[in-house]
């Protein structure tokens, strides 16, 4: 998934301005934490039926894109 902008929203008053999924109160960080703990996509969707496979893929694409922006300059 290359265009996550249809799935990831940023709102100042929601979850302290963190990136959320489709305006819900579930953050990208929440989903990434579940994945990092070993949960499968299906387990996450089972626990949060309002989420879709595309939501999870959008979280991964958002994280990958965010990671590209961090570079440590050599001293």
């Amino acid at each position: 998934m290359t265009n996550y902008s249809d799935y990831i929203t940023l709102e100042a008053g929601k979850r302290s301005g963190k990136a959320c999924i489709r305006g819900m109160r579930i953050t990208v960080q929440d989903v990434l934490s579940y994945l990092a703990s070993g949960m499968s996509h299906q387990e996450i969707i089972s626990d949060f039926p309002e989420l879709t496979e595309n939501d999870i893929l959008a979280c991964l694409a958002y994280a990958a894109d965010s990671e590209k922006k961090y570079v440590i300059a050599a001293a």
Side-chain angles (χ1 to χ4, degrees):
M1 168 173 294
T2 57
N3 188 6
Y4 53 79
S5 63
D6 294 335
Y7 299 90
I8 306 301
T9 57
L10 296 164
E11 298 176 48
K14 189 172 284 174
R15 294 294 303 265
S16 302
K18 292 181 181 181
C20 292
I21 302 166
R22 293 184 289 116
M24 294 185 276
R25 297 191 59 77
I26 301 170
T27 66
V28 169
Q29 181 182 359
D30 293 335
V31 173
L32 295 174
S33 294
Y34 302 140
L35 291 168
S37 73
M39 288 179 75
S40 70
H41 293 199
Q42 245 351 91
E43 289 172 320
I44 295 169
I45 292 168
S46 178
D47 285 353
F48 301 93
E50 62 272 29
L51 294 179
T52 67
E53 180 71 21
N54 281 341
D55 292 328
I56 295 171
L57 294 176
C59 290
L60 291 170
Y62 180 87
D65 192 46
S66 296
E67 180 62 22
K68 285 192 268 185
K69 297 174 185 170
Y70 295 103
V71 177
I72 297 176

